Amino acid sequence: MATRSTTGGVSAVTDRVDRETLHGFLFALPYIAVFSAFLFYPLLKGLYMSFFEWDLLNPAQSEFVGLANYSTLLSDPLFWQALTNTTWFVVLTVPSLLVVSMVIALGINRGIKGKKVLQFFYFVPYVMTVSIVGFLWLQLYASNGVFTVYLGKYVGGVLTSETFALPALSLVTVWWQTGFYFAVLLASRQKVPERLYEAARLDGAGPWRQFWDITLPQMKNAIVFVLIAGTVFQFQVFGQVETMTSGGPSQSTVTLVYYLYQLGFQTFDLGYGAAVGYVILLILVGVSVLNYVIVGRGVDE
Amino acid sequence: MSLLASAVDDVSLDRKTLYTVGVYVVMYGLAALFAVPLFRMFVLSVTPSDQLFGMHWIPAGITFQYWIEVFTTRDLIYRWIWNTLVISTITTALVLVVDSMVAFALTRLEWPGQRILFGIVIASFMVPPHVNIIPLFTLITQVGWTNSYWAIILPFTATPLGVFLLVQFFRDIPEELEESARMDGFSTFRIYAQIILPLSLPVITALALFMFVWSWNQYLWPLIVLNNDMAYTLPVGATTLQSVYQDDANRLMAGLAVISLPLFVVFLIFQDKLISSVQMQAGTG
């Protein structure tokens, strides 16, 4: 303080600005360091690796193959199957998650008795690890498991059926993840001003009209969040596949991240795996950008 | 006239009651369905082996033998609990420190490059965490971190989510507090540690809780970098139980129940806080 008043404004101000620059940089440094080492560097290295027939034990011996990994990918039937399976999985899970969690959120919001207990049961699967979820459902889908005992006569043993294995994993996912989306939608519903409903009732709007004309438009941001975040997250499905089906029967549940895992850590095809990783990245960035352009425009924070 | 009115009232009352009943049926019905897997886990874990054949909602006799077995014979579980606890605690602490520091630099200090850095943080939201695992794995083996805590702690510490949440919160803290602190001769670090952090306690605890649960439940990455059962975390340890008890549903379920217990307890204590930490994230969408 004393310096500032005696030596006058200019140098003190530059001092302070310099100090602020230094402090700003120092405070950002830990993040920049961790970010560079574990996110940015691997991202670049992955791109680099994807141009090689990568040798895990002697990386220096890796053979440069140019774009060969990417052209292999284009004609790799398993990659296309994984892409189809993953897309199908997203289509099965995201809308179901939206509908189920919406029903639950609206129900809880009505001030139903025993709200706390209900909320507990809807949310608790979300705090479970995917491996426990997978092994638990493996039992439910077993021949004497509760699912098969009641529904087996319609669908048979789901996990050994090429048609039903992926929907079966989707059901597990809806059970496991609903809590997350339900919480998001509930918060959004609670923010809708009650006077809108009062006004609508005065105008003689029934519950259905109120839902379409008030609830849905008012919750638009949260619904868009559920759709985008849900798509990006479910697209990376891995644990359910790894613990329950290992991609079977006959590759019907191989998803992209599971395929990536197989390439990297079972067949050790690292260069090709890196290329597959990059393509998954591009697809997801594309999805995000597309979402941002199409839906994001209509949503105001 | 009045008769008609009361008839109409009756009808509408009935419809309203019917509606309420419908809501209760749907809500409790769904909750019951959601509870079935957990209920089965518990029931099977106390079902004697001779009653495992077929499907009984309630077994004729129950036994806690398998729970006791898990606690007394599978000593590795204690090791796994310890590993998971250490990893989740350090990850959470590190995320809080690193993210709050960078969020502070991004919101409360003026320096060249902060716009670019914030742009990078936002852009990294679009990078899905698991597409990097192959190059990340080669990096971890290079530095010799296979089976170490750091291999799990560090790679996902720089998550954009925490930065974003904290930036939003720090931004709304009024400038005046900081100005008057500077007048009193507070250093930048004291402003960060004694003014901004205490004021942000609600968002910090919510973020801490979320990161802790997230880190505790990590599966894919630990599965890749841990290959020694002494180093396993609980989620990876579950695969050992599954392979050992494949045909022993009651022992497997007792094991799974035991290893999901710690987070159930955390959830029971912090239910509202945890739910609100999830809700906060929607604001970052």
Side-chain angles (χ1 to χ4, degrees):
Chain A
M1 288 307 287
T3 0
R4 182 185 286 184
S5 55
T6 49
T7 58
V10 182
S11 74
V13 167
T14 36
D15 260 13
R16 174 154 177 208
V17 167
D18 280 351
R19 218 178 43 213
E20 207 163 320
T21 302
L22 179 69
H23 287 166
F25 184 72
L26 284 179
F27 269 93
L29 193 61
Y31 187 86
I32 296 176
V34 181
F35 180 89
S36 314
F38 297 103
L39 211 147
F40 195 61
Y41 169 71
L43 207 57
L44 292 182
K45 189 174 180 193
L47 186 62
Y48 178 76
M49 286 173 78
S50 72
F51 299 125
F52 286 85
E53 182 96 55
W54 195 263
D55 189 328
L56 176 63
L57 300 175
N58 295 304
Q61 305 282 309
S62 303
E63 185 193 341
F64 181 78
V65 293
L67 292 172
N69 283 327
Y70 290 94
S71 65
T72 310
L73 185 145
L74 288 179
S75 55
D76 175 358
L78 195 48
F79 169 79
W80 291 106
Q81 166 130 42
L83 181 60
T84 317
N85 289 345
T86 309
T87 311
W88 181 221
F89 181 80
V90 168
V91 170
L92 284 172
T93 49
V94 176
S96 327
L97 279 167
L98 178 64
V99 171
V100 174
S101 48
M102 184 64 116
V103 167
I104 294 173
L106 295 182
I108 290 282
N109 186 62
R110 296 190 68 86
I112 192 166
K113 281 203 187 69
K115 202 171 94 177
K116 279 266 165 198
V117 180
L118 290 174
Q119 203 165 289
F120 176 83
F121 282 111
Y122 293 132
F123 197 82
V124 80
Y126 177 69
V127 300
M128 293 173 75
T129 298
V130 67
S131 55
I132 299 178
V133 170
F135 297 142
L136 172 55
W137 277 81
L138 214 48
Q139 211 294 317
L140 305 183
Y141 285 145
S143 57
N144 67 342
V146 73
F147 183 90
T148 316
V149 167
Y150 287 95
L151 299 168
K153 47 181 178 280
Y154 309 108
V155 290
V158 281
L159 292 182
T160 49
S161 144
E162 284 180 41
T163 320
F164 290 119
L166 205 61
L169 298 187
S170 308
L171 179 66
V172 176
T173 309
V174 171
W175 178 77
W176 178 40
Q177 296 272 308
T178 288
F180 180 91
Y181 301 103
F182 143 71
V184 169
L185 291 174
L186 179 63
S188 162
R189 173 61 186 83
Q190 284 169 342
K191 282 201 203 95
V192 181
E194 215 41 48
R195 59 181 165 73
L196 294 180
Y197 293 98
E198 279 156 26
R201 272 193 292 272
L202 285 180
D203 290 348
W208 216 207
R209 272 299 289 277
Q210 292 176 29
F211 176 73
W212 281 109
D213 294 348
I214 302 170
T215 311
L216 276 189
Q218 290 285 326
M219 290 176 69
K220 191 175 162 195
N221 284 359
I223 293 171
V224 169
F225 172 83
V226 167
L227 291 176
I228 296 179
T231 302
V232 170
F233 187 80
Q234 304 309 336
F235 202 87
Q236 299 173 63
V237 52
F238 168 79
Q240 300 92 307
V241 177
E242 201 268 343
T243 54
M244 298 182 68
T245 62
S246 305
S250 7
Q251 330 284 10
S252 63
T253 55
V254 172
T255 59
L256 283 171
V257 173
Y258 186 73
Y259 188 42
L260 181 69
Y261 169 79
Q262 282 186 314
L263 290 173
F265 309 100
Q266 286 173 356
T267 56
F268 298 103
D269 214 342
L270 297 187
Y272 185 49
V276 169
Y278 247 83
V279 172
I280 302 176
L281 173 71
L282 289 182
I283 295 172
L284 281 177
V285 169
V287 168
S288 297
V289 171
L290 206 68
N291 271 321
Y292 185 76
V293 173
I294 299 173
V295 229
R297 244 191 336 217
V299 180
D300 18 45
E301 259 316 310
Chain B
M1 186 61 199
S2 70
L3 200 74
L4 184 68
S6 76
V8 169
D9 263 4
D10 273 1
V11 170
S12 73
L13 189 74
D14 273 352
R15 186 182 284 171
K16 212 173 157 192
T17 322
L18 214 64
Y19 193 71
T20 314
V21 169
V23 169
Y24 272 81
V25 168
V26 170
M27 292 301 286
Y28 276 87
L30 272 173
L33 283 178
F34 267 76
V36 165
L38 294 173
F39 180 71
R40 290 302 296 163
M41 175 162 81
F42 181 73
V43 165
L44 283 168
S45 74
V46 296
T47 304
S49 293
D50 55 10
Q51 287 175 50
L52 272 183
F53 304 98
M55 218 299 289
H56 310 283
W57 280 103
I58 308 284
I62 64 167
T63 168
F64 285 96
Q65 171 196 350
Y66 311 112
W67 281 72
I68 295 166
E69 257 181 54
V70 171
F71 281 114
T72 53
T73 66
R74 302 218 62 89
D75 293 342
L76 270 177
I77 282 193
Y78 297 106
R79 179 78 204 183
W80 297 340
I81 291 178
W82 174 249
N83 291 342
T84 318
L85 187 67
V86 170
I87 288 172
S88 311
T89 308
I90 299 181
T91 304
T92 307
L94 217 57
V95 165
L96 292 184
V97 171
V98 171
D99 286 8
S100 66
M101 280 175 74
V102 72
F104 178 76
L106 287 172
T107 52
R108 313 305 293 193
L109 299 169
E110 287 280 347
W111 52 289
Q114 70 181 155
R115 279 181 173 280
I116 299 173
L117 182 62
F118 194 53
I120 292 174
V121 171
I122 300 286
S124 66
F125 253 122
M126 288 200 296
V127 178
H130 290 141
V131 299
N132 255 337
I133 47 174
I134 290 176
L136 203 53
F137 177 71
T138 61
L139 175 68
I140 295 298
T141 44
Q142 257 168 27
V143 292
W145 276 357
T146 321
N147 288 321
S148 91
Y149 289 159
W150 293 112
I152 304 177
I153 294 168
L154 283 175
F156 298 104
T157 300
T159 46
L161 177 73
V163 183
F164 204 78
L165 284 177
L166 293 171
V167 160
Q168 282 183 324
F169 198 88
F170 287 0
R171 204 184 260 159
D172 295 338
I173 295 174
E175 199 76 39
E176 292 79 41
L177 288 168
E178 199 180 322
E179 283 304 316
S180 62
R182 265 192 211 285
M183 292 295 190
D184 290 343
F186 270 45
S187 66
T188 311
F189 182 77
R190 281 184 69 191
I191 291 175
Y192 159 77
Q194 294 182 350
I195 296 182
I196 302 294
L197 286 191
L199 283 173
S200 315
L201 213 58
V203 68
I204 286 176
T205 46
L207 177 63
L209 204 55
F210 185 78
M211 283 314 299
F212 187 83
V213 171
W214 178 86
S215 171
W216 188 284
N217 281 337
Q218 271 201 91
Y219 182 62
L220 172 57
W221 181 242
L223 188 68
I224 291 169
V225 289
L226 306 179
N227 49 39
N228 172 347
D229 59 6
M230 283 292 280
Y232 281 179
T233 57
L234 284 174
V236 181
T239 61
T240 306
L241 292 182
Q242 161 76 10
S243 55
V244 175
Y245 293 141
Q246 204 149 28
D247 302 313
D248 237 343
N250 38 21
R251 289 189 171 83
L252 176 64
M253 291 300 146
L256 295 182
V258 167
I259 64 182
S260 41
L261 217 51
L263 273 200
F264 281 168
V265 173
V266 169
F267 178 58
L268 269 179
I269 302 173
F270 296 109
Q271 182 173 352
D272 292 338
K273 200 77 202 167
L274 192 63
I275 290 179
S276 71
S277 79
V278 162
Q279 293 168 336
M280 251 176 11
Q281 290 176 50
T284 71

